Amino acid sequence: FFLNDPVLVIISDTMATSALESTSSTSLNSFSPISTLERQGLQPWGQRLVVAVQANSACCVEGGVESILRLKQGDTLSTQSASPAANFEENPNDDFDAFAFLHDGGENKGKDEAALANDPGNKQGIGGFFRKVAASASTTLERQMQGLAVRIDQGRNPDLLRIAMYDQQTNELLDVTEAVPIPSERSDIRFEVPLTLPAALRQRQVILKLWIQSGAALLQSTKAAKNYLIAMASVDCSKIALGAQRIPLTSKLVVGGELELCGMPDPKFASPDGDRSWSLTDPDMSAYSKGLNYLPLDKSYCYKGNQPSQWLLATERATESSVVLPVAACVMDLAARASLKSLHHAQSVAKTLRANRHDFKDASKSTCSLGIAGVVTNTTSARFGNISVNWRRPDSMFELELLANEVIPISGEADPATSPQLNVQFHPKLCTEDILPGVLNAFGGRIPPSGYLLGSLFFSLSVQSNEYVEIWEASTAIESYVNNQNAFFKVPLVKNGVAMGSLILHLQVTLPTEKPKFASIPSNDGLVSLVGLENLANGVNPLMDADSSTAPKIDSLRDQQLATMGYFFTVQYMEQHLSLRQSATESFQDRARAYKQALIQPENVHPHEVRSPKAFRPSSSRPTSLLSAIPFNVHVSTLNITAVDSLSTGSTYPGASFHNITHGAPSDHARGFGNILSGISNTSASGGLRRLEKKRVECADALQKSQNLLIAAVGNYLANARKTSQVNHVPARHAEIQGLRWKVFECVHNLHHVTWMCAVRRANVFSQSLGLAVSSYLTSISDKEKCSSGWPDVWQRHGYLVCFEGLLSAAGKELGMIEDASVAIAMLRMVRIVIMPDTGIPSKAVGVQGSRHLKWVNLFSSGQGSHRQYLLQVGVDPTYYQDRIPACLKNGTAVQLYPLLFQVGVDIRQWGAHAGSNLMKNGKQEISSGLVDDEDDDIGVVDDDVLVALNFEALRKVGSVWFETFTFYWVWTCLISYFFPFR
């Protein structure tokens, strides 16, 4: 291990006889101790060598950089001297010259100038002198300025030591430790950041160089502090063994310098055999070689133990989860089936609406052709009038206007010309149910023998008579003219019960040749119910997404009143809404298909360029709709602590391991956070799910209020109108009532649109949060210490606590992200997880690829509305199931998830948003490459009340968990203490 290499001797001689070797601050400072992605992925994988370093007390140079700067060529610095430069005040005998750079050679100024002046062969004279000064001025200036800054600092800031590792053949900088301040009292220095040797150099020689740098504030603030080489050692890497060992340093500046090296195996991959940091979700090597997963990111640190001989080695590792993508595929598969049911249900509603329309022709509907020839009367001299024709439906109290204020001739002849002046055709459906009570009473309280009703036509004729306008009215039942062969007939016109004339009509009614071919498809297990949303549209016909966990509130009078008002959907809205459902269904199907395909044939691209399904989804893929169900930046982050003792008799430490799941907020960025009601109504609904679902409740309240206003207005009209005659319908020209009616239409459209948008968004973000929760649960099951401590029994009894901590601000799009995440995390309360031994992949399960023990996942749903429940089955290797799964979690035991969300970032805006904004302004190239997110998340008014409210909700849930978990044990302990007191 210890080398007596001639190269080392030559280097040492060079150090002693030549100018002191130095390097600029940027050469070492620019080399980040945190390895780059390229260095993390160097092959061969898992064969690097991690070397922790400790320098002995002899490396603490007395006087630091100032002493080194005072050295003249050939001088040596003794670290055994006890005369540190404790007093930095000016000494009149001090030969330090801060302005020596103005001279050529400093102390040899006079001699050099005389030689230059007296040299007869020097043809350049004074010009050559200045050129010589210019050539060496920068080096001399830099050295003298370093000394000046050190003297100004007066020792307030200690100098810094660091160790760098170089390839001996190429002199390439391979790695560097952090800069450690030299202690005030001489002692060993242990560097917390170890050196990492690439696997390709394990059989070669490297050089370890010990650098010193001034800690002067002026140099550190300007990043101008130079590094001075004070010692080095050449090391044969093939002889570095695991554990602690010492090597001497070669130097003319440091006497007795020595490094203690502690070799560690490559920590990139955790082993399932005895490695505390291993997780059940860790991919195996095949996943990395096939490109299914990216390599783990790791970094190690070294700390002092209780004894000087102890090395505490802490390794941080970020490993992708192998279950994120399969879980997303399961959720999308379930959402695709539910969305398809919702689509078919909406299509049946759309057919019902079209069948209800008078202007939609269908073989299952009748056809009415109306022709109006004119008016015959002797009671007025007017030759023309204005006629309006309304259809009075038998199943709705609102008249439908067919003609409005059309001009028609008035004649006094008994047999006027019988050519139609006005024509209109419409297609009423045959009404067999939901007949208005008043209409049905006219037929004796039951449907006529024909078995159907078509309604009636109401005519209103405006006639100018002298100085005022008279209104003549007429009506006729459409059923009376089925298959009528008469060309024209007369219908009496009356005014206040007095006959005024006759209306000459031609009306031909043709019955349908076919029965309706469509049937109403129920909305059970549609997407709205699948994601746990309740039906809030009470009293709306036709029913849409109406399945609910509880029976709807029965208000017989109100429901009967609303039932007489017909449908509150328009065909135009349904056509637009159908396109949304069609698009969502196709998106869910595409995602499920793409996710399953990606598990078999993954795309091999750089992490920041990912736009196809993979276990890792970068933040730059936010706008990619295909990836909406995959969580962002998911890693199983572990901190593994082990101990090495350089003494064979030293104490042993069993070690420890800690797990966390790091990820981005479960949020549907692809759908944005803008107004979702744009183009639907003048009402605005924007933000994330928490705000949108609040808006949904507001829409339901607005709908109920508008329905109540409409019911009251119709009731007042009928009460007044029935004082003079029997009235069953509301005129089409009643402005107030029609305005209230269209307000109900708008509220219904708003409610159903917001409901559907929330359902789609819920499905996407729930898929993200479920993948995170499953990764956390499986990681906890992998922890032997946690399982042996009795935690699985607590999970089986009271549920698995999944605690999310958010670091987002409450401004702009970040507020929308929090709102999405809060709902997505709350939905986990509906999930139970069961671990099962693998006996073959079930039919609808999704296989887990690239995992040593996980085989498949399968997701089921049951219940309706807010009582929706999910059961996730996880198939594992039978041997692992038998040996490692706790007994209380076997035999089909399902563990309920209990989610919590705490927002740590209250009143704090992320500095990264500002940094990203500045980088976007100044670095267009990085943005275009996808390294920087192009969303400005920090714009908008801060709403910290949301964060505070979320924290209060989490605290209440924590209290509930505490009460539920520990009340039983507390009561049982009290009973035992009462009946069996301690003696």
Side-chain angles (χ1 to χ4, degrees):
F1 179 80
F2 298 103
L3 303 178
N4 293 317
D5 193 35
V7 176
L8 183 59
V9 175
I10 294 173
I11 293 176
S12 301
D13 291 344
T14 304
M15 267 185 58
T17 58
S18 63
L20 186 66
E21 182 179 348
S22 64
T23 182
S24 65
S25 61
T26 56
S27 64
L28 294 181
N29 291 342
S30 61
F31 190 92
S32 172
I34 307 301
S35 300
T36 62
L37 290 177
E38 290 76 9
R39 293 174 58 83
Q40 288 274 346
L42 292 178
Q43 293 186 347
W45 300 330
Q47 299 182 27
R48 300 170 304 168
L49 179 66
V50 178
V51 181
V53 186
Q54 176 174 292
N56 68 347
S57 59
C59 297
C60 300
V61 178
E62 294 290 350
V65 172
E66 185 181 30
S67 298
I68 294 175
L69 291 176
R70 293 176 184 272
L71 288 177
K72 299 180 177 60
Q73 186 170 355
D75 289 348
T76 60
L77 181 66
S78 173
T79 58
Q80 305 302 321
S81 171
S83 57
N87 189 350
F88 288 86
E89 295 186 4
E90 288 294 334
N91 187 340
N93 298 321
D94 192 353
D95 62 351
F96 176 79
D97 185 2
F99 300 95
F101 66 92
L102 297 178
H103 318 308
D104 186 27
E107 61 194 37
N108 298 323
K109 169 187 173 186
K111 193 172 11 178
D112 292 342
E113 286 181 351
L116 179 67
N118 297 326
D119 185 4
N122 188 355
K123 305 297 183 180
Q124 299 179 356
I126 194 65
F129 167 74
F130 280 115
R131 280 191 295 273
K132 185 177 180 181
V133 171
S136 61
S138 59
T139 302
T140 307
L141 173 64
E142 187 176 50
R143 182 175 182 275
Q144 296 299 327
M145 284 303 176
Q146 293 275 325
L148 182 61
V150 170
R151 296 178 69 85
I152 293 175
D153 193 70
Q154 297 187 358
R156 285 186 290 267
N157 297 287
D159 292 338
L160 307 173
L161 287 179
R162 69 177 67 187
I163 295 178
M165 180 170 60
Y166 297 84
D167 186 342
Q168 183 167 308
Q169 295 182 4
T170 63
N171 202 34
E172 176 190 358
L173 177 60
L174 300 177
D175 207 350
V176 63
T177 67
E178 83 281 15
V180 177
I182 297 178
S184 57
E185 295 183 3
R186 185 178 297 174
S187 62
D188 294 347
I189 298 176
R190 182 167 294 181
F191 296 90
E192 295 183 355
V193 177
L195 301 173
T196 301
L197 180 68
L201 302 180
R202 286 290 299 269
Q203 303 302 318
R204 294 167 63 175
Q205 291 184 344
V206 297
I207 298 177
L208 300 181
K209 293 185 178 182
L210 179 62
W211 297 94
I212 189 171
Q213 180 188 90
S214 172
L218 178 61
L219 297 176
Q220 292 297 324
S221 62
T222 59
K223 298 182 180 180
K226 290 183 68 67
N227 297 282
Y228 297 95
L229 180 63
I230 59 176
M232 64 172 62
S234 181
V235 179
D236 186 352
C237 299
S238 63
K239 297 181 180 179
I240 299 180
L242 300 182
Q245 48 218 295
R246 296 176 180 272
I247 62 170
L249 288 172
T250 303
S251 173
K252 290 296 185 179
L253 302 180
V254 175
V255 178
E258 193 176 58
L259 294 181
E260 184 175 358
L261 306 182
C262 183
M264 296 180 289
D266 193 344
K268 179 168 288 294
F269 303 106
S271 171
D273 302 323
D275 193 331
R276 293 171 174 269
S277 62
W278 179 81
S279 169
L280 191 57
T281 62
D282 285 358
D284 60 14
M285 294 305 296
S286 67
Y288 302 123
S289 60
K290 294 177 181 178
L292 184 63
N293 296 94
Y294 295 108
L295 292 173
L297 305 177
D298 68 280
K299 189 61 185 178
S300 297
Y301 304 91
C302 179
Y303 303 97
K304 295 181 179 180
N306 293 331
Q307 302 297 329
S309 62
Q310 288 184 338
W311 300 70
L312 284 182
L313 306 176
T315 299
E316 290 182 314
R317 186 188 301 111
T319 309
E320 294 180 8
S321 171
S322 59
V323 298
V324 166
L325 194 55
V327 167
C330 279
V331 177
M332 288 298 98
D333 207 5
L334 199 63
R337 295 195 297 267
S339 182
L340 186 61
K341 289 183 180 180
S342 294
L343 174 62
H344 292 162
H345 164 66
Q347 289 172 340
S348 70
V349 172
K351 290 181 179 179
T352 301
L353 292 175
R354 284 194 294 269
N356 196 58
R357 292 279 302 186
H358 71 287
D359 53 358
F360 176 73
K361 184 177 181 180
D362 186 82
S364 63
K365 299 170 64 177
S366 61
T367 299
C368 296
S369 299
L370 172 65
I372 304 176
V375 176
V376 177
T377 181
N378 292 321
T379 59
T380 181
S381 59
R383 299 276 65 88
F384 295 95
N386 297 89
I387 191 170
S388 296
V389 182
N390 296 329
W391 173 37
R392 291 178 169 174
R393 302 174 57 106
D395 57 349
S396 174
M397 64 173 53
F398 296 108
E399 294 180 352
L400 180 64
E401 196 170 58
L402 302 176
L403 294 174
N405 292 326
E406 297 290 343
V407 178
I408 190 172
I410 298 177
S411 174
E413 300 178 4
D415 295 316
T418 54
S419 59
Q421 301 296 313
L422 298 173
N423 292 283
V424 62
Q425 188 179 77
F426 61 103
H427 309 278
K429 69 176 183 178
L430 276 64
C431 294
T432 59
E433 57 184 4
D434 298 328
I435 308 300
L436 294 177
V439 174
L440 200 59
N441 290 337
F443 292 90
R446 55 186 178 180
I447 299 292
S450 62
Y452 62 87
L453 289 175
L454 296 175
S456 60
L457 294 175
F458 176 75
F459 303 90
S460 177
L461 180 66
S462 300
V463 179
Q464 185 71 38
S465 177
N466 297 327
E467 297 179 356
Y468 55 92
V469 177
E470 296 181 352
I471 303 298
W472 302 351
E473 297 175 343
S475 63
T476 183
I478 300 177
E479 299 84 3
S480 304
Y481 303 96
V482 173
N483 300 322
N484 177 46
Q485 301 300 323
N486 295 329
F488 287 91
F489 55 90
K490 296 181 179 180
V491 177
L493 286 166
V494 298
K495 172 189 172 186
N496 298 327
V498 179
M500 303 299 293
S502 299
L503 189 62
I504 309 300
L505 303 177
H506 170 77
L507 181 59
Q508 187 173 9
V509 180
T510 304
L511 294 179
T513 57
E514 299 177 2
K515 292 183 178 180
K517 296 181 179 180
F518 64 91
S520 178
I521 299 177
S523 60
N524 295 339
D525 295 326
L527 184 66
V528 175
S529 177
L530 175 70
V531 296
L533 291 177
E534 292 283 354
N535 171 43
L536 301 181
N538 295 324
V540 175
N541 286 318
L543 297 175
M544 185 115 105
D545 301 321
D547 48 343
S548 177
S549 62
T550 57
K553 296 180 180 179
I554 299 177
D555 187 346
S556 57
L557 178 60
R558 187 175 187 274
D559 292 343
Q560 290 176 11
Q561 291 169 333
L562 291 173
T564 63
M565 298 181 183
Y567 295 162
F568 288 101
F569 285 97
T570 64
V571 173
Q572 293 80 3
Y573 169 77
M574 279 306 302
E575 291 177 352
Q576 181 181 6
H577 190 69
L578 279 176
S579 65
L580 288 177
R581 297 203 174 199
Q582 181 72 39
S583 176
T585 302
E586 293 174 354
S587 296
F588 289 137
Q589 293 172 342
D590 290 344
R591 291 184 194 124
R593 185 166 46 250
Y595 296 174
K596 294 176 183 177
Q597 182 66 23
L599 289 169
I600 302 173
Q601 295 180 342
E603 183 178 353
N604 191 11
V605 295
H606 293 294
H608 66 277
E609 297 174 347
V610 170
R611 298 298 181 272
S612 58
K614 292 183 80 71
F616 177 78
R617 180 188 178 189
S619 298
S620 57
S621 67
R622 287 179 177 182
T624 307
S625 177
L626 181 64
L627 308 183
S628 294
I630 303 175
F632 293 94
N633 304 315
V634 180
H635 286 102
V636 179
S637 297
T638 59
L639 175 61
N640 193 42
I641 301 176
T642 58
V644 176
D645 201 311
S646 57
L647 301 179
S648 58
T649 59
S651 60
T652 59
Y653 171 65
S657 185
F658 307 90
H659 295 85
N660 278 306
I661 310 299
T662 59
H663 58 88
S667 182
D668 195 352
H669 288 275
R671 303 187 72 84
F673 303 100
N675 182 17
I676 63 173
L677 287 176
S678 178
I680 303 298
S681 72
N682 295 327
T683 305
S684 176
S686 59
L689 271 172
R690 187 180 177 93
R691 210 181 327 167
L692 292 178
E693 293 186 5
K694 180 180 179 181
K695 184 66 177 181
R696 179 173 178 259
V697 174
E698 293 175 0
C699 289
D701 293 339
L703 172 61
Q704 186 175 19
K705 292 178 182 178
S706 62
Q707 287 174 331
N708 293 338
L709 291 175
L710 179 61
I711 291 172
V714 170
N716 291 335
Y717 169 79
L718 294 178
N720 294 327
R722 285 173 179 173
K723 292 179 181 179
T724 57
S725 61
Q726 179 61 34
V727 177
N728 296 317
H729 292 81
V730 177
R733 289 301 182 93
H734 196 296
E736 179 186 359
I737 291 180
Q738 292 299 333
L740 292 174
R741 185 186 178 207
W742 282 106
K743 182 63 177 178
V744 176
F745 272 93
E746 181 184 3
C747 291
V748 170
H749 295 168
N750 291 346
L751 177 58
H752 281 85
H753 187 81
V754 173
T755 297
W756 180 255
M757 300 298 279
C758 287
V760 174
R761 200 176 192 100
R762 268 187 168 231
N764 290 331
V765 300
F766 171 66
S767 175
Q768 298 181 31
S769 65
L770 181 59
L772 302 173
V774 174
S775 298
S776 175
Y777 179 65
L778 295 179
T779 299
S780 296
I781 289 180
S782 312
D783 191 334
K784 291 183 178 180
E785 295 295 325
K786 189 174 292 185
C787 290
S788 62
S789 301
W791 281 105
D793 184 64
V794 176
W795 302 337
Q796 184 266 331
R797 289 173 176 270
H798 307 288
Y800 178 77
L801 191 65
V802 190
C803 184
F804 291 79
E805 294 183 5
L807 302 176
L808 295 172
S809 69
K813 292 181 180 178
E814 288 191 7
L815 176 59
M817 294 163 63
I818 293 172
E819 292 166 338
D820 273 357
S822 63
V823 175
I825 293 170
M827 290 180 67
L828 295 175
R829 192 70 176 91
M830 303 184 287
V831 178
R832 294 175 300 144
I833 303 177
V834 57
I835 307 296
M836 303 180 65
D838 174 39
T839 57
I841 299 180
S843 59
K844 294 183 180 180
V846 177
V848 178
Q849 304 296 324
S851 175
R852 182 169 181 174
H853 297 295
L854 297 178
K855 301 303 179 182
W856 49 264
V857 292
N858 201 8
L859 184 63
F860 301 91
S861 68
S862 60
Q864 292 182 341
S866 60
H867 288 190
R868 175 68 59 175
Q869 292 290 315
Y870 300 96
L871 178 65
L872 181 71
Q873 296 177 342
V874 181
V876 300
D877 178 74
T879 303
Y880 185 91
Y881 179 87
Q882 184 65 31
D883 297 340
R884 294 286 299 273
I885 300 299
C888 60
L889 302 182
K890 293 180 179 179
N891 303 320
T893 300
V895 174
Q896 184 86 39
L897 295 183
Y898 202 101
L900 298 175
L901 170 62
F902 286 98
Q903 277 297 332
V904 182
V906 178
D907 297 327
I908 298 175
R909 295 195 180 196
Q910 286 191 25
W911 66 267
H914 298 292
S917 177
N918 295 332
L919 189 57
M920 283 189 289
K921 294 177 182 177
N922 302 325
K924 300 293 184 181
Q925 185 174 358
E926 287 97 344
I927 296 174
S928 61
S929 66
L931 294 176
V932 180
D933 187 16
D934 58 355
E935 293 190 47
D936 193 353
D937 291 337
D938 203 34
I939 295 178
V941 178
V942 181
D943 186 7
D944 289 333
D945 291 342
V946 173
L947 304 184
V948 175
L950 289 173
N951 285 335
F952 276 119
E953 290 177 10
L955 289 173
R956 285 194 295 269
K957 292 179 181 178
V958 167
S960 176
V961 173
W962 177 270
F963 178 81
E964 181 180 349
T965 305
F966 296 102
T967 297
F968 170 79
Y969 299 103
W970 178 79
V971 172
W972 183 249
T973 302
C974 290
L975 290 176
I976 293 177
S977 300
Y978 180 78
F979 289 105
F980 305 97
F982 292 102
R983 298 295 182 182

